[in-house]
Amino acid sequence: MPSLNSFFRAVLHSYAMLFFSQHRGFAAVLLAVSFGRPVVGAAGLASTCLAVAGARLGGFNKEWTDSGAYSFNALLTGLALASFLAPGWGLAGLVVVGAGLALLLSVALGGWLGGRGLPFLSLPFVGTVWLLLLGAGPLLHLSPAEGSTYWLNEAYALGGPRLVAAAQWVGEWPWPPLLATYLRALSAVLFQDSALAGLLLAAGLLWHSRIAFSLSVLGFLGAYGLVLLTGPAGSGPLDYNLGANYVVAAMAVGGVFVIPSAASYGWALLSVPVTVVALAGFTAVLDRLGLPALSLPYCATALLFLYVLLLRERPGAGLELTPIQRYSPERNLYAYATARVRLAHQGAVALTLPFRGAWTCTQGYLSGGPTHLGDWGQALDFAITDADGRTYHGSGLSLSDYYAYNKPVLAPADGVVEEVIQHIEDNAIGEVNTRQNWGNTVVLRHAPGLFTQLSHLRAHSVPVKVGDYVRRGDIIGTCGSSGRSPEPHLHFQVQATPYVGSRTVAYPLAYFVAEAGQKVYNVVESVSNASDGASNTLESIAVLPKMPQLRHFAVPTAGEVVRPPAFNRTLSQALRLPPGYALAVRDAAAPAAPAQRWEVFTDAYNLAYLRCQRTGAVLYFSGDESVFYCTAFYGDESSWLYLLYQAAYRVPLVSLPGQVVHDEFPLTVVRSPVLTWAQDVLAPFYRFLRPTFWAEELPATAGHWPGGPVRLRSRVVVAGFGRAREVQASELLFAEGRLAELRVRRDTGSLTLTCTVAGA
C-alpha cells in the first residue's frame, strides 16, 4: 500500500509540475480539468502512469521520479497526441511509445542540462511529439482529431443532450473578452479550449501560489498587448501560444528559477518580446516541415534568460537564481531571504581568534583609527587589557610590562605557511620602525585566494617555516612589538594574495564571545600607506559594560573584549547527530503508546536531516562547533518533528549568563491564510510580517557541572502592524548527552514529549 500511495503521489506531482509545483491539491484540479476532453485526459493520465512506472522500474533518480520531473513531459505528450490524432488503436500505441520516449529524453536531457545548471523544461515533450508526428503519420495513416465538433459528439455519447446543452451553455457564457482570452490561454496548457477550464486552472494556480498567479497575469497582459500591436507571431493557436509560451515563460524566469523580486518581474516582462521573436522564427522554419512549434519558444526563452544569469561575474541587481528549488515561488523567496543571512557562511573557511584568553579589539574595520584606512581598512588589532582598560602593569616602560607581550599567537585555521619574517628586533616602548612596517610576520594560506597575515610578532619567536602545514590552534609565534608598533599588540588581517602587506579583505570570524570593556586605550599603529612616520596619540574610549554574547560569523569591533568560547559539553554532545542516530519520541501523557522514530540520514548532497518514520516529515539541520540550527522542514506540519523545528531553530552550544539568541523564520510559519496571501502578493516588493525566534538558557541550569543537564526556553513570534503574536513557546531539556524532553505550548494546547535513544 505505501508503494501504491507513493506511485499515485508521483502521478499527481507530474500534473503539478506543468506549473513548477508540488501542490497536490492544484494537481488534482489539473487532472480533473484535463478530462474536459475525456479522450485527451485519459491519454495524458495513461502516459503519465506509464512514465512513472518506467522510471521506477528503470532505477532512475528516486527524488526526480517522485517529484514528477521525469514524467510531466510524458503527460504533455499524451495530451498532445490525443489532441492532434483521432482515437483508436493507433493512437493508443503512440501514447505508449510516446511515454517511453519522453521518459528517455527527460532522463538524458536532465543529465546533460542539469550538469550545466539548467532545467530541461518541456524539451523532451517537443522532441517526442515531433518524432512521432513525422514517423507515425505516414506509417500508421492516422487521421487528425475532429477538435471541438468531436468533443460535442463525445459529450453526447457520455451524457446525452443535457451534457451537450450544458457544454454549449458554458461555452457561450458572456465572459468579458480579455478575461475569456486569459482563461482560454491557461486552459490551452492542458490542450483545452474552455474559459471554464481556464477559470478552474486560475483558481488552482492562485491556491498554489499568489506570485505565480500574478506573473501569469503579467505575462499574459504583456503578450496580449504585443498581439494587439503587431498581430499573432506564429501560425499556431493563439490561445495555446499565449498560455504555453508567454505565460509559462514569465512564471519560469520571474518567480520559479529566479528568486521573486521587483527586478524579476521586470525580467519576466522582458521575456515576452523575446518569446514573440522566438515563436515567429521557429514557426517560419517548422511550417515547412509541417510541425507545430508547441512550447519550444518558451523553452528557448527560459533557457536563454537563465543561462545569461549563470554567466554573470557579479550576481545581483535583484536577479538571484534559485539555489534550492522548493517548487513554490513563495517558499523559494522566504527561504532565500532567511538563508541569505543565517546561512551566508556555508562553505566559508572557519577562521577563529588567533589567541587564547580574553583580548581587547583596539582597532577594528574602518574604525576611524590612524592606520586601518582605505585598502587596508579591513584589519584588526588586539591587545590584552586589565579591568581599568590599561594594556600594561607597573610603569609601562618595559616590553615585559605589557600583558600581551610574549603571549602565544595561534593559527586561525588549518593551512600552509606561505611567508615567515622573524629577524626584526622589537621596538622600545613608544618607538616605531617605519622602514619595516609590518615587523615580524607569518602569512598562512587556508584556501585558494584566502590568506591570513599575523604581524608585529616577537623577534625569533616563530617555530614554523615556509611550506609547513599547520592546524587551527597551533602556535605560530608570540606577540611582540616589531615594525610600526609603539607597544606590544597583534595585527590580524585576511587577504586574497600571499604577499606581506597585501590589501585586506572583509572576512568574518567563525565564532567568539564578545563583551564591551570598561575602558579601552587604542593602540597606535602605522601601515604601509601612511604618508609619514609620525606617531599619534588617541584618547581612551569609554564603553558601557554589557553581557557577553556568542558572536557567530561576525567581526569584532573596536572596544570589544573577545575570547574563544567554552563549549557546553551537554549541548555539544546532544546535538551532534551522526547518520544512523535515532530517537524514540513519546507523548508523556500516553507513555504506553507506540513511539515515533526520528532517525538521522544524509541526502545526495551530504546534507543531514532527521526523518520521522511515521509521518515521513523531514527536518534538515546544520551547524558547527558553536551553533546548531535547523535549515528546512518538509512534510506534514502536524508532525511532532515540526515542533522541534520551531523549538530548536537556533541553539548556541555555549553557556553564557543572560545570553539570548535571535533569528528570523521564513514566512511559512504564519498560519493566517488572509495575512499569508496578502504577504505573498507583496512579498517580492515589501514584507510587513516578521516571524522571529529567540532562545535562552534558563538560569536554574546555567553554571551546572560540565556535562550536567541544560534547559533552554524558546519562542516563535510573528510581528506585524505594530503588534506581535506568539506562535509557539517551548522548553527543551538536554541530559545524558541527548534531547530528553520537549515541552510545547501553542494556541491549540500543550504537549510534552520525552525522548530516548532508539535501538537499531
Side-chain angles (χ1 to χ4, degrees):
M1 184 62 70
S3 178
L4 190 60
N5 289 337
S6 65
F7 178 85
F8 286 128
R9 282 198 298 269
V11 171
L12 277 178
H13 289 157
S14 305
Y15 282 83
M17 282 292 285
L18 298 181
F19 288 89
F20 316 104
S21 170
Q22 295 286 274
H23 193 296
R24 289 197 285 272
F26 182 32
V29 172
L30 292 167
L31 174 60
V33 169
S34 72
F35 277 84
R37 296 173 63 184
V39 172
V40 173
L45 180 59
S47 185
T48 305
C49 292
L50 288 171
V52 172
R56 287 175 167 240
L57 291 174
F60 298 125
N61 183 281
K62 185 178 185 299
E63 182 180 350
W64 283 34
T65 299
D66 291 345
S67 70
Y70 282 149
S71 45
F72 78 91
N73 275 283
L75 164 61
L76 288 172
T77 299
L79 296 174
L81 291 175
S83 299
F84 296 152
L85 302 172
W89 289 111
L91 173 62
L94 279 186
V95 168
V96 173
V97 174
L101 185 55
L103 171 61
L104 294 177
L105 286 175
S106 296
V107 174
L109 287 175
W112 183 59
L113 288 173
R116 291 158 176 77
L118 295 170
F120 56 84
L121 304 175
S122 57
L123 286 176
F125 149 66
V126 175
T128 300
V129 171
W130 283 355
L131 287 173
L132 294 179
L133 291 180
L134 285 173
L139 184 64
L140 301 178
H141 306 290
L142 297 176
S143 57
E146 298 183 36
S148 59
T149 302
Y150 182 84
W151 152 236
L152 292 178
N153 294 336
E154 193 173 25
Y156 185 85
L158 291 172
R162 291 186 178 180
L163 184 57
V164 172
Q168 290 177 324
W169 177 78
V170 170
E172 295 170 1
W173 183 267
W175 303 92
L178 185 62
L179 176 61
T181 306
Y182 169 70
L183 296 178
R184 290 181 186 277
L186 278 185
S187 73
V189 176
L190 291 175
F191 295 89
Q192 305 289 317
D193 183 20
S194 165
L196 177 60
L199 183 63
L200 294 174
L201 283 182
L205 183 60
L206 185 63
W207 183 19
H208 156 59
S209 167
R210 276 57 61 194
I211 293 176
F213 176 80
S214 65
L215 284 167
S216 75
V217 174
L218 178 68
F220 167 77
L221 292 177
Y224 190 80
L226 285 177
V227 168
L228 292 179
L229 291 174
T230 63
S235 60
L238 175 61
D239 290 340
Y240 180 84
N241 289 331
L242 287 172
N245 283 304
Y246 301 114
V247 167
V248 179
M251 286 193 290
V253 304
V256 175
F257 299 106
V258 175
I259 297 297
S261 65
S264 78
Y265 273 65
W267 195 238
L269 195 58
L270 182 62
S271 73
V272 174
V274 176
T275 308
V276 169
V277 175
L279 178 60
F282 288 135
T283 301
V285 174
L286 294 171
D287 276 350
R288 300 178 183 179
L289 301 174
L291 293 175
L294 299 174
S295 58
L296 180 62
Y298 137 66
C299 294
T301 299
L303 289 173
L304 172 65
F305 275 51
L306 296 177
Y307 191 57
V308 166
L309 293 181
L310 277 173
L311 294 178
R312 293 176 301 170
E313 291 186 357
R314 294 191 303 273
L319 293 173
E320 299 287 349
L321 289 167
T322 303
I324 299 176
Q325 186 56 254
R326 292 173 170 82
Y327 301 104
S328 162
E330 285 81 6
R331 285 185 175 270
N332 288 343
L333 172 59
Y334 300 150
Y336 173 79
T338 303
R340 183 174 53 183
V341 176
R342 71 191 307 254
L343 303 181
H345 61 275
Q346 282 194 336
V349 175
L351 301 180
T352 57
L353 291 172
F355 45 74
R356 304 183 185 120
W359 292 52
T360 298
C361 179
T362 55
Q363 213 178 163
Y365 284 9
L366 301 173
S367 61
T371 58
H372 295 180
L373 303 172
D375 290 335
W376 292 266
Q378 278 73 40
L380 300 168
D381 284 348
F382 296 101
I384 300 177
T385 59
D386 57 22
D388 295 323
R390 297 188 178 278
T391 57
Y392 59 89
H393 62 86
S395 64
L397 298 178
S398 171
L399 290 171
S400 59
D401 290 343
Y402 287 78
Y403 303 117
Y405 186 70
N406 209 30
K407 293 297 188 295
V409 175
L410 314 178
D414 296 356
V416 176
V417 179
E418 286 284 330
E419 184 67 72
V420 172
I421 299 174
Q422 62 169 330
H423 66 278
I424 303 171
E425 294 300 324
D426 290 309
N427 304 314
I429 297 301
E431 297 181 3
V432 294
N433 182 346
T434 59
R435 293 178 296 101
Q436 296 162 309
N437 184 79
W438 303 102
N440 299 309
T441 296
V442 172
V443 177
L444 302 176
R445 170 170 53 85
H446 306 289
L450 182 67
F451 302 83
T452 56
Q453 175 182 313
L454 301 102
S455 298
H456 308 311
L457 304 178
R458 186 174 65 83
H460 311 294
S461 70
V462 178
V464 296
K465 62 183 184 299
V466 173
D468 283 355
Y469 182 82
V470 296
R471 294 192 175 276
R472 184 177 66 191
D474 286 352
I475 296 176
I476 59 168
T478 61
C479 183
S481 191
S482 57
R484 192 167 288 187
S485 171
E487 67 177 55
H489 73 288
L490 175 64
H491 175 95
F492 175 78
Q493 68 181 50
V494 181
Q495 55 198 46
T497 56
Y499 311 111
V500 174
S502 296
R503 294 177 177 179
T504 57
V505 174
Y507 200 93
L509 296 177
Y511 46 80
F512 57 92
V513 174
E515 58 183 303
Q518 296 290 334
K519 195 176 185 182
V520 175
Y521 290 92
N522 275 328
V523 175
V524 177
E525 178 198 357
S526 299
V527 293
S528 58
N529 67 328
S531 58
D532 56 59
S535 298
N536 298 308
T537 302
L538 294 179
E539 296 181 359
S540 62
I541 302 175
V543 182
L544 295 176
K546 63 179 181 180
M547 300 299 293
Q549 288 287 315
L550 175 67
R551 303 276 294 280
H552 192 239
F553 279 86
V555 178
T557 59
E560 285 186 329
V561 177
V562 297
R563 57 180 169 83
F567 299 112
N568 184 291
R569 185 186 306 171
T570 298
L571 293 175
S572 297
Q573 183 177 356
L575 295 174
R576 186 178 67 248
L577 304 174
Y581 179 83
L583 287 173
V585 185
R586 290 180 170 83
D587 184 350
Q596 289 190 13
R597 182 183 176 91
W598 295 351
E599 188 169 354
V600 180
F601 297 91
T602 56
D603 64 11
Y605 302 99
N606 206 32
L607 300 176
Y609 62 90
L610 271 169
R611 183 181 183 275
C612 176
Q613 189 179 56
R614 179 178 300 177
T615 64
V618 168
L619 167 59
Y620 275 84
F621 62 88
S622 187
D624 53 32
E625 295 173 281
S626 63
V627 174
F628 169 91
Y629 44 84
C630 302
T631 56
F633 178 89
Y634 302 101
D636 185 359
E637 293 184 0
S638 64
S639 170
W640 290 347
L641 196 59
Y642 189 66
L643 302 178
L644 178 65
Y645 169 67
Q646 293 194 331
Y649 191 62
R650 186 183 190 93
V651 178
L653 305 182
V654 176
S655 292
L656 294 172
Q659 176 181 223
V660 178
V661 298
H662 299 270
D663 212 329
E664 183 175 327
F665 263 106
L667 280 170
T668 47
V669 302
V670 179
R671 308 314 312 157
S672 168
V674 174
L675 286 178
T676 300
W677 280 38
Q679 180 62 91
D680 288 347
V681 172
L682 296 176
F685 316 100
Y686 173 71
R687 289 180 59 184
F688 59 83
L689 294 178
R690 296 287 176 181
T692 57
F693 167 88
W694 68 262
E696 63 176 342
E697 184 175 337
L698 294 180
T701 61
H704 276 205
W705 65 91
V710 176
R711 190 178 293 275
L712 300 179
R713 177 170 56 198
S714 66
R715 294 178 66 203
V716 181
V717 176
V718 177
F721 306 108
R723 302 177 61 185
R725 184 180 68 85
E726 183 178 271
V727 175
Q728 176 174 308
S730 311
E731 284 191 12
L732 302 101
L733 174 63
F734 297 91
E736 300 177 356
R738 60 176 169 81
L739 172 64
E741 184 179 87
L742 171 60
R743 297 182 179 180
V744 176
R745 186 184 73 249
R746 313 184 87 187
D747 292 340
T748 54
S750 300
L751 179 67
T752 299
L753 302 175
T754 59
C755 306
T756 56
V757 177

